[in-house]
């Protein structure tokens, strides 16, 4: 037993050494730290782990010596002592001293971690079931970040990619070496935003704003996952942070702003069924497919089927209302009026009414949605 | 034996009382934590304004943030995203809110601060969050927040975020 | 009391005597030994049910990708696995030991309130049916985690209400059981059995029972608040009405951390009976063991927020809870040192109970060390809600609590059945359990460090290897438990006749004053202890 445990302990240590050079794809230890705080935490963990291993080896060395030597089968006669105040005091005081030695660096790291003052920039993170929204208030940039891994990889009908479940459509982009302050909140339930490489994990709590910060050492792509159970797709809302040089970051900001101006389909234009369906399919895949399923089969009873649904095949007013304002009877249905544009809403309704096994032939125009908002 | 039974009963009664008290204690934890937050300065709302003197040497950035609770079909946004102010200075900002629906909706804004401890030093003199807001169909409204950041704000706080989340209230008057 | 007294000293025909027979005997029984047996069997059935759920979880996690279930069903499995194991398997097993052993160890004829004892037990199957039955209602079982965090738990269907009621019932059962145990220990000790002469198992249960009385009502309060938030328009945890979702966590963990010690203190007690017995040497530092147990219990009320280091507590709170949590290492360390000092210069033999006790000391200590790592707030930030935490609490609850239960079952089976168990099968059970346990849970430390969050049904490719290993360990560990069933059934049926003092080094009253099997009624005239 001892040998087994000890070799495991040592093996663990050896793994740590050999793995220290590997970044991202850590299998045995914390990923390579890429920020000051993460470095401190990494060192703290290594220190404490080795202290624990050392104590374990000493204490259980004594125990296994006793197990080997003080056996009845070897004719060992039992002694009869059952108290020794001196030794009991010693083994209370020594652990206490060790704990104090651990508490000092730990306290320093906490104070450093919690110092979110003087940030270079602020990003607001809003968690939804089951995606993230990033907003750069100073730049007027705001976008959703969804899992990008295709369904067929998850279901095993396609080979899994390198960053299976750790890839998103729109990553958070930040400049290198800048203190980025994050303001976190959630829309529905508690989520947790975590990127180990930066030593950061902060719960996002509905109704409350929480702040934390990180400063990335090197450009690169860093990955994390939602770390608080938030319902069905908790395992499918990864976090990807792209750290760019200041120059590239500025380019990205400019491009985002330009894209915001251009990409929005003109809400005053009239579109054909095919145009709306094509756009709606994308909107559906990003926002609706998680619950109502890519096929429209849903997951009754909470997430009803759209195929042949009374709402979807019935009068369009009812359909538009539930998409914009949420389910009056079923709290699981989200109100999309505030997150989706007129074009997106019109397109996704058009898609639902003309795909997924439905064929009403109706086209909903953005203008109709716009009219309803006024 | 009967003496024994009586003794057992006494202990039973005492322990039952303890468990009932502990049930109540669970509820008492809520005001207890709130009190703790008041004492330690992480409280959310204190409206008393102490006599404040403007401190022209010091600058604090105040950020304004707005969120909508799940399924509230409104637009809610600050008209100013951030301000540089001196502690002790009384300022006012506006939030814009629009009801996007065809029905009258009652909402209540819940404030929150980042960092949380700054809340104790952030005094709101007037705020739309003090009362419920009723918006008629498609009504648009500008709502003021008048505030002052107290002088005794800890020196290491340079940025305060004031964040509101608007939640729909079931019906006017209901909790 | 009258009833048991009326049976007089007639130990010869235990089972007859106007007692209902067959099923009704068990439904109406007020005998502490019968009720202990019921608790233990109930707990074993729950262990197998909860274990089956765990094996389904490990089957899904055997490789990346969703293979055999949908994510929401996975969440139901993790939730129910937790609830069933904590409230259905571990806690009732210890109450079962308390029922069997406490009266015999202190020289009492029965528990103080035999009829209440019967109710405490028969509430459990009701609660278990509510929990297991919730898999079959529309929407399936609760999927918000065994911690039932608001606001996630405010979503979801009828099964969440069933879970809340089940928790209420389990709480009432635990409180009644605890009151019974406290009263029995305080009032029914044999003459001369002073508090500081009680076997350590009795001491640990006395402290545990006080913890139960203190915190189960708090849990009941927390879930009642969930219930009224769900259905009666209150806003305790709902930000929309001015509530605070984090408040639930504060209240839950005010219960939850003492709960952890409720599940481990009786284990300390069992181990403290077994190690001296097989070392043939008195327990080292009896008094310091009692003080250490009490101080662990008191500290457990001051550390709850170490479960919440990522919610954004004020810095001062993070520091305070880190220091308080680290302090727990000291009394726990004292216990481990005392056990080792008990073995030191003993005359040890290694029957199955002793093997499990030694494994307990080693593996529980690993769980303690990972607990110390998690107590360090900055490190916890990296590891919170990852598999490292899963590894930590399984080292504490499986190789801790569950192994002590195994050790206790093997230790007292001769007293309960009158037969020695099959030592070969027992050792086989021990070795397979210990090896597969480590294969199952040790790799989870690596997974957690590498960043795999807990409660996810599917994972990134870099986690694939260790998950495969863990799943193999899980099936090995799960199937090994069937050996225990065989051993127990064989032992009940027959085997080598056990002597009154079945273990050479055993010195508590049930071994020194009673034959094996222990008669249906014992110590109706209290023994005298000097």
């Amino acid at each position: 037993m001892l040998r087994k445990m000890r070799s495991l302990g040592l093996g663990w240590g050896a793994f740590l050494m050999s793995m220290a050079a590997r970044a991202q794809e850590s299998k045995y230890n914390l990923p390579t730290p890429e920020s000051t705080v993460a470095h401190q935490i990494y060192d703290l963990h290594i220190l404490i782990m080795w202290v624990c291993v050392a104590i374990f080896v000493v204490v259980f060395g004594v125990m296994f010596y006793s197990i080997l030597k003080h056996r009845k089968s070897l004719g060992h006669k039992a002694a009869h002592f059952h108290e020794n105040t001196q030794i009991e005091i010693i083994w209370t005081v020594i652990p206490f001293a060790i704990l104090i030695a651990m508490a000092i660096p730990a306290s320093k790291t906490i104070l450093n971690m919690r110092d979110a003052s003087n940030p270079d920039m602020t990003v607001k993170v809003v968690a939804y079931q089951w995606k993230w929204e990033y907003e750069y208030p100073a730049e007027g940039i705001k976008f959703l970040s969804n899992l990008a891994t295709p369904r067929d990889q998850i279901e095993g009908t396609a080979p899994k990619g390198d960053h299976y479940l750790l890839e998103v459509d729109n990553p958070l982009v930040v400049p290198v070496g800048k203190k980025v302050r994050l303001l976190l909140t959630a829309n529905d339930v508690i989520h947790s935003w975590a990127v180990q490489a930066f030593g950061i994990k902060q719960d996002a709590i509905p109704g409350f704003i929480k702040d934390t910060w990180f400063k990335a050492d090197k450009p690169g792509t860093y990955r994390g996952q939602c770390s608080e159970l938030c319902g069905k797709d908790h395992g499918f809302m990864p976090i990807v942070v792209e750290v760019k040089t200041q120059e590239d970051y500025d380019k990205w900001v400019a491009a985002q702003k330009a894209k915001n101006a251009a990409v929005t389909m003109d809400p005053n234009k009239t579109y054909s069924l095919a145009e709306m369906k094509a756009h709606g399919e994308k909107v559906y895949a990003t926002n609706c497919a998680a619950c109502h399923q890519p096929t429209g089969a849903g997951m009754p009873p909470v997430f009803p089927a759209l195929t042949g649904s009374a709402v979807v095949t019935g009068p369009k007013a009812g359909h538009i209302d539930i998409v914009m304002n949420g389910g009056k009877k079923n709290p699981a249905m989200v109100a999309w009026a505030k997150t989706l544009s007129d074009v997106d809403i019109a397109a996704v309704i058009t898609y639902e009414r003309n795909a997924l096994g439905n064929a009403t032939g109706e086209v909903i125009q953005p203008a109709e949605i716009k009219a309803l908002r006024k | 034996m009967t003496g024994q039974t009586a003794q057992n009963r006494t202990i039973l009664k005492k322990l039952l009382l303890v468990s009932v008290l502990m049930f109540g204690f669970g509820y008492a934890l809520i005001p207890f934590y709130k009190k703790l937050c008041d004492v330690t300065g992480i409280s959310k709302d204190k409206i008393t304004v102490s006599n404040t003197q403007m401190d022209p040497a010091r600058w604090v950035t105040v950020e304004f943030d707005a969120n909508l609770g799940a399924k509230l079909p409104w637009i809610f946004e600050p008209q100013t995203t951030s301000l540089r102010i001196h502690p002790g200075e009384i300022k006012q900002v506006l939030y814009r809110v629009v009801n996007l629906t065809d029905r009258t909706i009652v909402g209540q804004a819940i404030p929150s601060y980042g960092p949380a401890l700054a809340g104790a030093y952030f005094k709101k003199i007037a705020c739309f969050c003090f009362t419920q807001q009723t918006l008629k169909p498609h009504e648009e409204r500008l709502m003021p927040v008048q505030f002052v950041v107290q002088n005794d704000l800890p020196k290491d706080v340079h940025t305060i975020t004031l964040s509101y989340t608007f939640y729909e209230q079931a019906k006017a008057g209901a909790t | 009391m009258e009833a048991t007294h009326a049976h007089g000293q007639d130990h010869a025909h235990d089972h007859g005597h106007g007692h209902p027979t067959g099923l009704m005997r068990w439904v109406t029984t007020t005998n502490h030994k019968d009720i202990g047996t019921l608790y233990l069997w109930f707990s074993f059935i729950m262990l197998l049910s909860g274990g089956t759920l765990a094996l389904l979880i490990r089957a899904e996690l055997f490789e990346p990708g969703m293979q055999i279930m949908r994510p929401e069903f996975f969440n139901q499995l993790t939730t129910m696995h937790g609830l069933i194991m904590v409230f259905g398997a571990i806690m009732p097993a210890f109450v079962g030991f308390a029922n069997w052993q406490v009266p015999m160890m202190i020289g009492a004829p029965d528990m103080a309130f035999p009829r209440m004892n019967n109710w405490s037990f028969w509430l459990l199957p009701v609660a278990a049916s509510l929990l297991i039955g919730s898999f079959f209602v529309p929407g399936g079982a609760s999927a918000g985690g065994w911690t039932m965090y608001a606001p996630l738990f405010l979503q979801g269907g009828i099964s969440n209400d069933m879970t809340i009621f089940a928790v209420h019932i389990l709480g009432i059962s635990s409180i009644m059981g605890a009151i019974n145990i406290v009263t029995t220990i305080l009032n029914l000790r044999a003459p001369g059995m002073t508090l500081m002469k009680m076997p350590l198992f009795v001491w640990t249960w006395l402290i545990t029972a006080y913890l139960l009385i203190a915190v189960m009502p708090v849990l009941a309060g927390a879930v009642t608040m969930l219930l009224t938030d769900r259905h009666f328009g209150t806003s305790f945890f709902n930000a929309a009405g001015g509530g605070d979702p984090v408040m639930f966590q504060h209240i839950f963990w005010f219960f939850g951390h003492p709960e952890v010690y409720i599940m481990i203190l009786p284990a300390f007690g069992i181990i403290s009976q077994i190690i001296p017995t097989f070392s043939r040497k008195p327990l080292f530092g009896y008094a310091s063991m009692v003080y250490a147990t009490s101080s662990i219990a008191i500290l457990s009320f001051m550390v709850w927020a170490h479960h919440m280091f990522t919610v954004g507590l004020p810095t001062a709170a993070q520091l305070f809870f880190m220091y308080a949590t680290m302090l727990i290492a000291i009394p726990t360390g004292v216990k481990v040192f005392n056990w080792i000092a008990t073995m030191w210069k003993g005359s040890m033999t290694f029957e199955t109970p002793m093997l499990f006790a030694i494994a307990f000391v080693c593996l529980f200590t690993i769980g303690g060390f990972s607990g110390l790592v998690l107590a360090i707030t900055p490190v916890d930030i990296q590891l919170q809600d990852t598999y490292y935490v899963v590894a930590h609490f399984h080292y504490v609850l499986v190789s801790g609590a569950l192994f002590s239960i195994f050790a206790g079952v093997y230790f007292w089976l001769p007293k309960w059945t009158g037969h020695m168990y099959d030592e070969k099968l027992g050792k086989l059970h021990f070795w397979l359990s210990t090896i597969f346990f480590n294969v199952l849970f040790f790799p989870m430390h690596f997974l957690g460090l590498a960043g795999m969050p807990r409660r996810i049904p599917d994972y990134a490719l870099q986690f694939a290897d260790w998950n495969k290993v863990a799943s193999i360990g899980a099936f090995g560990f799960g199937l090994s438990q069937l050996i225990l069933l065989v051993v127990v059934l064989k032992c009940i049926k027959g085997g080598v006749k056990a002597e009154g003092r079945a273990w050479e080094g055993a010195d508590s009253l049930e071994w020194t004053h009673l034959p094996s099997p222990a008669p249906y009624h014992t110590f109706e005239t209290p023994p005298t202890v000097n």
Side-chain angles (χ1 to χ4, degrees):
Chain A
M1 268 287 289
L2 172 67
R3 210 170 311 134
K4 179 162 163 272
M5 297 316 306
R6 193 190 281 171
S7 68
L8 269 176
L10 291 177
W12 192 3
F15 281 141
L16 302 188
M17 303 292 185
S18 65
M19 288 300 137
R22 291 188 66 183
Q24 297 293 300
E25 301 257 313
S26 167
K27 281 188 178 180
Y28 309 97
N29 195 9
L30 293 166
T32 312
E34 299 290 354
S35 78
T36 324
V37 169
H39 264 290
Q40 285 177 335
I41 297 176
Y42 188 94
D43 296 343
L44 199 56
H45 170 253
I46 295 284
L47 169 77
I48 288 164
M49 190 200 70
W50 282 115
V51 171
C52 290
V53 170
I55 299 174
F56 191 91
V57 169
V58 171
V59 171
F60 288 93
V62 172
M63 185 177 98
F64 280 97
Y65 175 83
S66 171
I67 285 175
L68 290 176
K69 298 287 176 187
H70 307 149
R71 291 169 168 252
K72 195 183 179 194
S73 55
L74 298 178
H76 195 274
K77 292 272 178 296
H80 277 277
F81 64 88
H82 57 89
E83 245 169 8
N84 185 333
T85 318
Q86 213 171 355
I87 198 163
E88 289 178 63
I89 290 174
I90 291 174
W91 71 39
T92 311
V93 170
I94 292 182
F96 192 73
I98 296 177
L99 288 178
I100 289 178
M102 287 179 177
I104 293 168
S107 308
K108 278 188 191 149
T109 309
I110 293 182
L111 294 175
N112 188 21
M113 271 168 46
R114 297 305 298 262
D115 178 18
S117 60
N118 293 327
D120 296 312
M121 62 181 284
T122 298
V123 179
K124 185 178 162 195
V125 182
V126 185
Y128 294 85
Q129 280 172 320
W130 293 273
K131 55 182 164 285
W132 301 96
E133 181 188 75
Y134 299 113
E135 184 182 347
Y136 299 65
E139 315 286 358
I141 300 172
K142 179 170 168 179
F143 53 87
L144 287 171
S145 179
N146 279 288
L147 177 71
T149 303
R151 291 241 137 214
D152 49 2
Q153 287 192 15
I154 297 171
E155 276 147 20
T157 48
K160 298 184 187 357
D162 280 351
H163 299 297
Y164 175 69
L165 293 187
L166 294 177
E167 51 200 344
V168 297
D169 50 1
N170 302 305
L172 173 68
V173 179
V174 297
V176 71
K178 290 284 158 66
K179 186 166 185 177
V180 181
R181 174 162 170 265
L182 296 180
L183 286 173
L184 291 114
T185 188
N187 186 257
D188 31 51
V189 301
I190 301 177
H191 303 259
S192 189
W193 199 89
V195 176
Q196 277 189 315
F198 302 143
I200 183 172
K201 183 176 290 156
Q202 173 62 53
D203 292 359
I205 296 161
F208 290 79
I209 195 104
K210 298 284 178 181
D211 62 348
T212 184
W213 67 277
F214 67 93
K215 191 198 267 180
D217 289 348
K218 285 201 302 256
T221 306
Y222 304 93
R223 296 166 203 275
Q225 286 180 268
C226 176
S227 297
E228 182 63 62
L229 180 62
C230 57
K232 181 172 78 68
D233 281 350
H234 164 56
F236 303 94
M237 52 182 291
I239 294 147
V240 179
V241 182
E242 256 176 44
V243 178
K244 292 184 187 288
T245 59
Q246 185 65 43
E247 197 183 333
D248 287 349
Y249 173 74
D250 292 340
K251 273 188 214 151
W252 176 83
V253 169
Q256 282 296 310
K257 285 182 177 167
K259 195 168 128 206
N260 273 359
V263 106
T264 25
M265 290 165 77
D266 182 357
N268 300 313
K269 213 184 130 196
T270 304
Y271 292 92
S272 72
L273 176 62
E275 281 172 316
M276 281 319 246
K277 244 180 94 172
H279 182 57
E281 189 171 1
K282 283 184 229 148
V283 179
Y284 184 85
T286 325
N287 299 295
C288 315
C291 298
H292 293 296
Q293 301 296 296
T295 57
M299 283 186 271
V302 183
F303 309 115
L306 299 183
T307 308
S309 138
V311 173
V312 176
T313 55
K316 64 182 180 184
H319 190 181
I320 295 173
D321 179 58
I322 198 165
V323 172
M324 288 181 72
N325 303 323
K328 299 214 169 46
K329 277 176 254 154
N330 183 350
M333 176 65 191
V334 182
W336 293 101
K338 60 178 189 224
T339 30
L340 294 184
S341 70
D342 296 346
V343 180
D344 287 347
I345 293 176
V348 79
I349 295 173
T350 307
Y351 174 75
E352 287 172 0
R353 296 175 83 79
N354 295 288
L356 311 173
N358 301 324
T360 60
E362 287 169 288
V363 191
I364 316 295
Q365 295 298 343
E368 295 175 58
I369 307 296
K370 199 176 170 193
L372 284 171
R373 288 200 200 255
K374 270 282 166 272
Chain B
M1 258 326 186
T2 40
Q4 183 75 72
T5 313
Q7 274 181 12
N8 289 350
R9 287 263 155 88
T10 320
I11 297 194
L12 172 69
K13 278 181 204 147
K14 280 186 196 157
L15 294 177
L16 274 180
L17 183 69
V18 171
S19 56
V20 171
L21 286 178
M22 287 307 293
F23 184 78
F25 179 74
Y27 281 83
L29 280 174
I30 291 178
F32 172 73
Y33 283 127
K34 293 218 166 105
K35 190 77 206 156
L36 198 74
C37 292
D38 281 348
V39 173
T40 53
I42 22 178
S43 147
K44 295 209 296 174
D45 268 305
K46 266 195 274 173
I47 305 159
T48 50
V49 179
S50 52
N51 182 20
T52 52
Q53 200 72 42
M54 194 169 89
D55 178 357
R58 195 172 161 203
W59 286 101
V60 175
T61 305
V62 183
E63 297 173 330
F64 302 94
D65 175 50
N67 301 286
L68 287 164
K71 309 211 305 162
L72 184 54
W74 288 7
I75 291 171
F76 176 46
E77 59 195 15
Q79 297 298 88
T80 316
T81 52
S82 79
L83 273 184
R84 294 250 293 157
I85 59 159
H86 299 297
E89 190 180 11
I90 295 180
K91 282 278 179 184
Q92 175 167 314
V93 292
L94 292 172
Y95 274 75
R96 173 172 168 260
V97 59
V98 188
N99 181 356
L100 295 171
T101 66
D102 291 330
R103 59 195 170 103
T104 300
I105 296 180
V106 182
Q108 169 76 55
I110 309 287
S112 171
Y113 305 91
L117 77 95
Y121 306 94
F122 195 97
K123 303 303 176 198
K124 293 188 294 286
I125 298 156
C127 178
F128 55 89
C129 59
F130 295 160
T131 55
Q132 294 187 341
Q133 301 290 325
T134 308
L135 264 74
K136 298 196 184 63
H138 304 290
E139 184 181 345
E140 177 169 350
R141 192 185 289 173
L142 287 176
M143 302 177 303
V145 186
Q146 208 176 47
F147 66 92
V148 59
V149 174
Q150 288 189 344
N151 266 331
D152 49 356
L153 179 75
K155 290 280 177 258
D156 57 339
V157 179
H158 304 276
T159 308
I160 302 176
T161 306
L162 170 63
S163 172
Y164 286 104
T165 308
F166 244 114
Y167 286 99
E168 179 170 357
Q169 303 298 299
K171 275 184 197 90
T175 41
Chain C
M1 297 305 289
E2 305 304 298
T4 46
H5 194 61
H7 289 297
Q9 304 293 323
D10 196 353
H11 288 177
H13 356 36
D14 288 336
H15 288 250
H17 248 333
H19 280 290
T21 48
L23 186 65
M24 282 316 281
R25 166 186 166 199
W26 296 102
V27 175
T28 58
T29 184
T30 57
N31 179 286
H32 73 102
K33 300 185 183 76
D34 280 356
I35 293 175
T37 306
L38 285 172
Y39 265 107
L40 288 166
W41 278 112
F42 172 81
S43 149
F44 189 69
I45 293 166
M46 287 295 113
L47 179 74
L48 295 185
S49 329
T52 309
L53 303 186
L55 291 186
L56 285 171
I57 293 171
R58 286 314 321 174
E60 175 58 55
L61 292 175
F62 184 69
E63 56 183 31
M66 296 304 296
Q67 281 90 28
I68 53 176
M69 60 186 73
R70 288 174 172 282
E72 61 273 28
F73 184 63
F74 182 90
N75 290 348
Q76 295 170 23
L77 290 178
T78 52
T79 305
M80 285 297 137
H81 168 71
L83 286 168
I84 287 175
M85 286 304 198
V86 168
F87 292 107
I90 302 291
M91 289 169 69
F94 284 130
V95 182
F97 278 108
N99 262 292
W100 257 103
Q101 293 307 129
V102 166
M104 293 202 290
M105 288 172 126
I106 61 173
D110 202 309
M111 299 293 277
F113 306 106
R115 211 161 304 146
M116 188 162 89
N117 207 8
N118 173 288
W119 296 343
S120 320
F121 172 75
W122 282 106
L123 284 175
L124 291 180
V126 179
S129 335
L130 269 176
L131 282 179
I132 293 173
S134 70
F135 272 110
F136 304 101
V137 301
S142 286
W146 84 274
T147 48
M148 302 178 279
Y149 275 12
L152 182 61
F153 206 77
L154 302 178
Q155 301 180 341
I158 175 109
S159 57
N160 283 4
D161 302 314
M162 294 169 77
T163 303
I164 290 173
F165 284 125
V167 169
H168 275 138
I169 295 171
L170 291 163
I172 291 169
S173 159
S174 292
I175 291 169
M176 295 202 306
I179 290 178
N180 219 334
I181 290 167
V182 172
T183 314
T184 308
I185 297 175
L186 292 186
N187 280 4
L188 301 187
R189 294 192 312 277
M193 175 66 80
T194 58
L195 284 175
M196 288 311 272
K197 272 190 193 154
M198 294 194 310
L200 212 75
F201 175 72
V202 180
W203 252 115
T204 54
W205 242 114
L206 180 64
I207 294 166
T208 304
Y210 275 117
L211 282 179
L212 276 168
I213 294 166
V215 301
M216 289 310 286
V218 176
L219 175 68
V223 296
T224 308
M225 288 182 235
L226 281 179
L227 189 72
T228 57
D229 270 14
R230 282 170 61 83
H231 297 296
F232 304 106
T234 59
S235 291
F236 290 106
F237 310 126
N238 193 349
D244 180 350
V246 175
M247 190 64 76
F248 178 81
Q249 301 180 22
H250 279 296
I251 301 174
F252 180 86
W253 287 113
F254 186 85
F255 145 80
H257 205 78
E259 167 70 15
V260 171
Y261 294 102
I262 286 167
M263 291 190 280
I264 203 67
L265 295 185
F268 290 165
I270 293 174
I271 298 305
S272 303
Q273 299 303 123
I274 292 174
I275 288 181
T277 302
F278 294 94
S279 306
R280 292 166 183 78
K281 199 166 147 276
L283 182 70
F284 186 89
Y286 172 90
S288 68
M289 284 299 230
V290 172
Y291 301 139
T293 311
S294 316
S295 49
I296 291 176
I298 291 165
L299 280 174
S300 75
F301 286 101
M302 298 193 285
V303 296
W304 75 88
H306 69 214
H307 297 268
M308 305 163 54
F309 281 148
T310 59
V311 303
L313 295 170
T315 313
Q318 291 198 335
L319 289 170
F320 171 80
F321 285 107
M322 177 175 82
Y323 300 145
T325 307
M326 290 171 84
L327 274 185
I328 290 190
I330 293 172
T332 316
V334 166
K335 285 184 160 289
V336 171
F337 297 142
N338 281 346
W339 288 321
I340 293 174
T342 307
M343 291 185 215
W344 187 254
K345 291 195 190 273
S347 173
M348 278 187 270
T349 51
F350 301 93
E351 289 86 348
T352 313
M354 183 64 166
L355 289 177
F356 270 112
I358 293 171
F360 170 96
V361 177
C362 276
L363 299 176
F364 174 79
T365 305
I366 295 183
F369 280 139
S370 59
L372 184 62
V373 170
L374 289 168
I376 310 292
T377 311
V379 182
D380 180 78
I381 298 261
Q382 289 285 43
L383 299 177
Q384 161 82 12
D385 265 307
T386 68
Y387 262 81
Y388 194 90
V389 176
V390 178
H392 160 67
F393 65 70
H394 282 95
Y395 265 82
V396 176
L397 290 179
V398 178
S399 62
L402 188 63
F403 273 26
S404 83
I405 291 167
F406 291 160
V409 167
Y410 283 108
F411 184 54
W412 279 303
L413 261 181
K415 183 53 61 184
W416 298 341
T417 64
H419 305 122
M420 299 306 284
Y421 59 85
D422 184 331
E423 191 65 57
K424 250 192 201 138
L425 278 180
K427 285 198 166 125
L428 182 71
H429 175 223
F430 165 77
W431 284 110
L432 290 179
S433 293
T434 306
I435 291 167
F436 281 121
F437 167 82
N438 284 296
V439 174
L440 164 55
F441 290 111
F442 206 82
M444 290 188 184
H445 291 110
F446 302 138
L447 285 173
L449 284 165
M452 178 169 163
R454 65 191 280 209
R455 294 167 167 170
I456 58 170
D458 194 5
Y459 48 82
L461 300 179
Q462 77 247 37
F463 306 130
D465 302 349
W466 287 125
N467 269 298
K468 194 162 277 181
V469 173
S471 288
I472 293 168
F475 280 87
F477 184 74
L479 294 175
S480 308
Q481 302 323 309
L482 298 176
I483 302 172
L484 176 65
L485 183 64
V486 174
V487 173
V488 172
L489 290 178
K490 266 184 78 176
C491 188
I492 292 170
K493 277 220 178 113
V496 182
K497 179 92 188 68
E499 289 166 41
R501 192 170 179 177
W503 308 112
E504 189 188 1
D507 62 354
S508 46
L509 290 182
E510 82 275 28
W511 301 112
T512 51
H513 284 59
L514 295 174
S516 297
Y520 197 60
H521 298 292
T522 42
F523 292 134
E524 300 194 288
T525 332
T528 313
V529 183
N530 34 8

